[in-house]
Every structure is written in C-alpha cells, then in structure tokens.
Amino acid sequence: MSTFPGLRAVQSKNSFELALELPSTRSLYYRMDPSGLEWGESLAAFAGDAGIPAPETWDLLAVVHGIVPAPDDALGVPGVQRLTVGSVVRVDAAGVRVGRQAPRLPDSGSLVDEVGAVLPDGEFGIAYSGGLSSTFLAVAAQRAGKRPVLVHADLGAAFAPLPLPGIPGLELRRIPMDVSELLDHHPIATELPRPPTPEVEVRRRLIARMSGAVDLPLAAGTLLEDLVSIRLPEADISDDKLLECEPFHVAGALPTLAEARRLLEEQTVHARMVAGDGPPGGRQHDSQPDRPAEKYFVPGLTAAGQEEYDIARQLRLPLWQEHTMSLPSALGRADAALAERGEAGALLPALAPQVLAAVVALSAGDIGRVERGMFRNNRPLWQAIDEHRVTGVRRAAPGYWLRLAAAEHLNAQRDKLAAGLAESPLAKAGVIDATEVAAALHDPRRMMENALPLLRLIWTDHWMRRQS
C-alpha cells in the first residue's frame, strides 16, 4: 500500500495496531474475525465474487437529501467497516478489538504560516473564487514567498455581481465554464456502487477543467472556512454583548437576558453573514452531519418515501453526531465537510497535519466573537487578509455558487428533465411523485428553493436507470 496520510500502523513482537489519526481523502477498510485482521483500500476485494451489495431505497433517498454515508460505512459488504478518524484496531494475544484514541498532532505555528508552508514550492495554481477561503490561501502563499497563478472559473455574469479581489503580484487567469456542462447528469460514472453527488462530482469536474486549462496542479481553500469557524452558542459572550448581538436585535429585543441565554443553550440562534449576501433565509454553514437538522423533504416525496428517508436519518445522523463529538472539534468539522464535498482532485492544505494542529490550538475567542454588536466569525482568516490589505472579498456562504448553478441548470433544462421523469426509477419504486417533481421544476420559486435536492434526484434517477 502506498503512503496513506494520517494512517498509523505499529507492529511489535506481541501486537499490531492500526489507527487513522487525521481526516483523509482515501478510505481504508478492515474485517475482523477470531483469527486476525484483514485490511486494505479495495472494497471490491473484500466483497469478492458476491460483489458490493446494491443500495437500499433509503440509501438512495439519503443521496437525494444530501445525507452522507456514515463514518464507518462500507456499502453493506458483510463484516467490513471503514476505519474512522480516531479509531484504533488492535490485535494481540487477547484477540482483535476496536477502540478510540485521541489523534496526535504535531507542534505548529500560526495558521497563515502553516498553510503557506504546505503549499508547493514549484509552479502551481490556486482555485480562486475571490471568497474567504481562496483569498486567504492566496495571501498565505504570497506571505510564504510563493507565486501561484490564481485560476478563476468564469461561470457567467450571474455568478459575478462584484469584481474579483486582486492580489498584487499574483497573476489571475479566468477560465470560461459552461454551467450546464458542469452539472450535466449524463457523464456521471454509473459503474460506481452508489450514485455520485453534485457536491463532489461538480467540484471534481471544475478543478479538472481549470487545472487542464492552465496545465498546473491546483490547491484549493476547501474546508478552511469550515475548520476556522464556530457557532454563536460556542462563543464566550458577556451578558451585555449578548443582548447587543445582531442575531437578537434584528428580530426585536428579547424580553430578558435569561431568554437570550436559553436560546444559546438550545443552540438555536445562528449568526447571519457579516455584511453578507448569502442565500435568502440562510444561516452560516455548519457541517451537515455535525448534528441532526430539521426534517426536510425534496418536492414530490411520497409517504413511502418519507418513511425511507426517516430510516436514513435514524441510521446515519446519530452516528455522525457521536463520531464528531469524539474528536477535537476542528477534526470533526474537517471529517464531516470532507465527506460532504470530497477533495475534488486538488491539494487541500486544510488537511495537512500542521494546519489541523494550528486550528486545534485556536480558542473559540480566537475564531469568533461579538464586536460592535455583530458576531464576527473566521477571524484568523479575515485578520490575515486585512493585514495584506486585500479588499472586496466575496462573502457568499460556502457552496452558494453550486446552489445558484443548480438553479440555472434546472431552469434551462426543465422541459427535458420533467419529461424524463415519466420513466423515473424512484417514481416506479413509489418514493416520489413524478408529476409533483415536474411541477416543482416548472415553478421558479420552488425550483430555486430546492435546486440542489432536485439536481441530486435527477442524478440518482440517471444512475438507477443504468443499473438495470
């Protein structure tokens, strides 16, 4: 097996330990029995002649609703589990057992310096959106004496209401992209054992096309904003600052301080984007698996579909909650966000051990605090950008561009997509009402509000057709 980042395998005279200490873009599977331990990266090898089992209906509806596989998911191959971050499998005279161990991280310096240090020394590019993470990455590179090319995917006027922030001394290249080509369901890999998701596959296509256009490897700021983030309930807030804080006073003064504290304890109050222009009604990004969200149904889900969806939630979300709570918060957020979005074929400095260590060393107060009545999050990222005198950073929430792209694509293709629903495998399974889904595609407001779930549904339907 080639070098596996974050994996620790230790063998002594009387024992063997296998542990995954850091989030990884690769998967390692294992199977235990009384005679020992078998492990490897190929799930197909574990499945053997029987093959990887086909997904259950609830599996497919989990994909449609954006619920990622459980941390230890091995796609139903009997007796096999995926090694999770913080897990230790030990083999000794007492047998084989699985436990948990706090991941060991190296010593680290400041976040911006550690990010700059892990970037390549040779020629490379940065996937540059002009948002918080990619701008911070560019600043960290320049601070480290590196000169990457800033590679920007030009998706059209609808995606660029404001000019891109320039980084003096770094070249910017714009690569025109066709949104419908990026989101087209026809090229998805239908030989995969599970349907791919737009969150993973569209980003992979985007990175591949940008990298190919400039003939350079690309680094991406993906996960940085997730890592260097807290929710308002996690901030250390005095009584006075709490009642002055923007999430409370925008809706009118709360009657008492006790009421404000109660909302914090229930973790029901979230910060709006500071001077931001994120999605209407949106809240600041939390990693989806971090804790169960309010129930949400894709348009057209039948009663039978809702029952299957409930199974997916019950089987997966508690496992993610338990898993992330067992890790340092930064590692839990990184693992959850990586499961949702993947690495897209780019270098991700956020996953480097020294970068993760630098994030873990930050206190909640270092990351977010109330200043002048506003909850200001991601402070180390903004501080580095401000020190570099870069202005005009785009403030849309992570993933907003993909939701907007999904809406544009569905709007352009709605007639073809709606017609194709007549033969929908999900409809034949009785879990969606094809007529209701088609109506949602033709209703601009419902389509915009449900763009990503509807796109996932189209992709999943296409994958299912190719399995028969």
Side-chain angles (χ1 to χ4, degrees):
M1 180 183 294
S2 59
T3 301
F4 195 116
L7 182 68
R8 177 172 58 84
V10 180
Q11 185 167 7
S12 67
K13 182 179 179 180
N14 300 312
S15 68
F16 173 77
E17 278 191 358
L18 189 67
L20 185 61
E21 297 191 311
L22 299 172
S24 177
T25 58
R26 293 157 63 181
S27 294
L28 189 75
Y29 302 96
Y30 67 92
R31 178 159 51 202
M32 302 185 301
D33 60 45
S35 64
L37 173 71
E38 180 184 4
W39 51 286
E41 291 187 73
S42 172
L43 194 53
F46 279 105
D49 293 339
I52 296 172
E56 302 284 350
T57 302
W58 63 262
D59 276 314
L60 297 170
L61 288 179
V63 173
V64 170
H65 288 88
I67 302 176
V68 298
D72 62 352
D73 183 70
L75 303 187
V77 177
V80 179
Q81 289 183 293
R82 181 175 180 264
L83 189 65
T84 61
V85 180
S87 292
V88 181
V89 184
R90 182 177 176 84
V91 184
D92 56 23
V96 185
R97 59 191 182 276
V98 180
R100 295 201 65 83
Q101 179 175 297
R104 295 178 294 185
L105 293 168
D107 294 332
S108 65
S110 73
L111 177 63
V112 66
D113 289 338
E114 295 295 359
V115 169
V118 302
L119 289 168
D121 291 322
E123 293 184 346
F124 71 101
I126 287 176
Y128 189 67
S129 68
L132 178 58
S133 293
S134 63
T135 305
F136 173 80
L137 196 58
V139 164
Q142 196 168 57
R143 179 179 169 122
K146 299 170 182 180
R147 296 292 180 269
V149 176
L150 305 181
V151 186
H152 176 69
D154 186 350
L155 302 176
F159 298 84
L162 298 172
L164 276 174
I167 310 291
L170 297 185
E171 178 188 359
L172 173 66
R173 296 190 199 173
R174 297 174 184 267
I175 311 300
M177 298 274 181
D178 184 295
V179 168
S180 280
E181 286 185 8
L182 287 175
L183 275 65
D184 185 12
H185 59 278
H186 294 96
I188 68 174
T190 53
E191 71 276 9
L192 295 174
R194 296 293 184 272
T197 65
E199 287 87 345
V200 173
E201 177 63 14
V202 172
R203 286 182 170 90
R204 187 199 63 77
R205 294 177 185 177
L206 190 72
I207 291 292
R209 294 182 188 188
M210 288 195 295
S211 179
V214 297
D215 196 24
L216 290 171
L218 295 188
T222 308
L223 309 186
L224 282 171
E225 196 167 340
D226 300 88
L227 289 179
V228 191
S229 175
I230 62 171
R231 296 189 300 269
L232 179 60
E234 298 172 286
D236 183 13
I237 308 175
S238 69
D239 291 349
D240 290 342
K241 285 194 172 184
L242 178 59
L243 289 180
E244 293 172 1
C245 189
E246 178 260 3
F248 294 109
H249 70 61
V250 290
L254 289 170
T256 65
L257 178 64
E259 179 72 1
R261 287 287 177 199
R262 183 185 65 78
L263 286 176
L264 277 188
E265 289 168 4
E266 292 178 358
Q267 298 195 351
T268 57
V269 178
H270 299 270
R272 290 173 58 193
M273 301 292 290
V274 176
D277 53 3
R283 62 177 174 83
Q284 244 183 334
H285 179 76
D286 290 334
S287 298
Q288 168 264 327
D290 200 18
R291 67 191 205 306
E294 182 181 348
K295 271 192 186 180
Y296 164 78
F297 299 134
V298 69
L301 197 67
T302 65
Q306 291 179 24
E307 291 179 4
E308 295 288 342
Y309 173 52
D310 282 341
I311 292 172
R313 285 174 54 86
Q314 291 162 10
L315 290 177
R316 292 186 176 178
L317 296 183
L319 294 178
W320 268 109
Q321 186 174 33
E322 179 183 1
H323 175 64
T324 55
M325 289 180 66
S326 72
L327 297 170
S329 60
L331 296 188
R333 288 194 298 269
D335 206 28
L338 186 61
E340 183 183 352
R341 279 173 269 160
E343 45 83 29
L347 168 67
L348 301 185
L351 296 181
Q354 54 269 51
V355 173
L356 289 168
V359 175
V360 169
L362 295 169
S363 69
D366 292 330
I367 296 173
R369 65 179 60 169
V370 175
E371 295 176 347
R372 285 180 262 175
M374 302 288 285
F375 176 48
R376 302 186 183 273
N377 204 359
N378 317 113
R379 293 182 67 250
L381 306 185
W382 286 113
Q383 285 170 347
I385 291 170
D386 290 344
E387 289 172 4
H388 215 71
R389 301 181 184 276
V390 177
T391 59
V393 176
R394 295 178 175 180
R395 296 174 183 263
Y400 179 53
W401 72 271
L402 185 56
R403 292 192 292 275
L404 187 61
E408 182 172 299
H409 173 68
L410 293 176
N411 183 59
Q413 305 293 326
R414 62 184 182 275
D415 292 335
K416 290 181 181 178
L417 296 176
L421 289 167
E423 299 298 320
S424 163
L426 288 171
K428 291 179 179 179
V431 294
I432 68 162
D433 180 335
T435 302
E436 183 66 21
V437 176
L441 288 171
H442 284 97
D443 181 330
R445 180 168 181 173
R446 291 182 71 197
M447 185 269 292
M448 183 67 185
E449 291 174 346
N450 300 280
L452 266 179
L454 288 169
L455 184 64
R456 294 190 207 106
L457 188 155
I458 298 296
W459 280 38
T460 301
D461 243 7
H462 177 74
W463 180 90
M464 293 177 70
R465 293 171 202 257
R466 298 304 173 95
Q467 306 307 302
S468 54

